[in-house]
Amino acid sequence: THDESARHCRRLLKDYKLVYGVREAKGLEFKTVIILDFFREIPSSLQKPWRELVLGRATQDFEHSYPLVATFLKLLYTGVTRCIEKLFFVETKSSTAGDASMRWLTKQVAGRASYATRNNINDVEAMSMTSDEFISEGINNAELAQASMDLDQSQMLLERSIWCFEQTDIIELAAKARIHYSSVL
């Protein structure tokens, strides 16, 4: 999701610790990535220009007329490249940019399969990580917390680390992360 929405999304998902804003996730990789409301949250002034770009109808002066679109393309690239295996785009409401992007992603052209399929996602648990993946992600967050110079960022990363370790049967790792967290306070 966009960085500005990450905190809100975490609250909606009952403080699910692995919700990152796109910039916040930069440098990290995940087996499964869900990009939430990316297209809907593109500013309303750029919804139609985004549609024109995605559908191949942008004019020669597009970059000059809509320079902010390049920023959102870079954010999209960053979000997509965090994914190792499975990538999901989830749009909770319809938008001009989202509808056009989904149309392009699901379109079949000249015998080529589409890039994506439309699905209803009802079971987030089915997309959950394995115990080893939770451990790996917990270690990644703990290492990032140790390297961070920002106290709030370190605390948030350690909370994520603790949560990841709690999803496994290895309680020692969660205990160590809690000790690390208390030392940061």
Side-chain angles (χ1 to χ4, degrees):
T1 190
H2 292 266
D3 290 338
E4 301 79 26
S5 302
R7 179 175 284 146
H8 175 70
C9 289
R10 274 192 287 277
R11 270 187 265 123
L12 286 176
L13 294 170
K14 299 177 183 153
D15 285 331
Y16 187 73
K17 302 298 182 195
L18 296 180
V19 175
Y20 294 86
V22 174
R23 288 180 186 93
E24 192 178 26
K26 194 171 185 179
L28 301 175
E29 287 185 332
F30 304 92
K31 183 177 179 180
T32 301
V33 170
I34 301 170
I35 298 178
L36 178 64
D37 285 334
F38 180 87
F39 303 109
R40 184 176 69 83
E41 291 185 356
I42 292 173
S44 58
S45 63
L46 298 177
Q47 288 282 322
K48 287 183 181 177
W50 183 278
R51 177 189 64 199
E52 299 306 304
L53 177 67
V54 168
L55 298 178
R57 302 188 297 219
T59 60
Q60 291 245 332
D61 65 337
F62 184 85
E63 286 183 59
H64 179 70
S65 298
Y66 305 103
L68 274 178
V69 169
T71 301
F72 287 98
L73 285 170
K74 290 174 187 173
L75 283 175
L76 181 59
Y77 172 82
T78 300
V80 167
T81 57
R82 303 306 92 212
C83 177
I84 297 171
E85 291 182 15
K86 295 179 189 171
L87 174 64
F88 297 91
F89 287 99
V90 176
E91 295 288 309
T92 59
K93 292 182 183 170
S94 181
S95 69
T96 301
D99 294 347
S101 297
M102 292 306 117
R103 191 173 336 134
W104 182 81
L105 286 167
T106 58
K107 184 178 181 180
Q108 294 180 351
V109 178
R112 174 191 56 81
S114 63
Y115 293 112
T117 59
R118 285 185 183 265
N119 296 299
N120 290 324
I121 299 175
N122 294 316
D123 187 9
V124 174
E125 292 302 315
M127 297 182 285
S128 189
M129 297 187 295
T130 67
S131 182
D132 288 343
E133 290 166 334
F134 276 117
I135 291 169
S136 175
E137 193 56 36
I139 291 169
N140 286 342
N141 278 288
E143 288 174 344
L144 287 169
Q146 189 170 355
S148 178
M149 300 301 284
D150 181 329
L151 182 62
D152 290 335
Q153 179 78 3
S154 290
Q155 289 175 332
M156 181 188 65
L157 289 165
L158 286 169
E159 287 171 359
R160 287 180 180 162
S161 181
I162 292 166
W163 184 86
C164 286
F165 293 141
E166 287 173 345
Q167 306 312 301
T168 72
D169 293 330
I170 305 173
I171 56 172
E172 296 85 7
L173 289 173
K176 287 180 180 181
R178 280 190 206 91
I179 291 169
H180 189 175
Y181 181 83
S182 65
S183 72
V184 171
L185 294 176

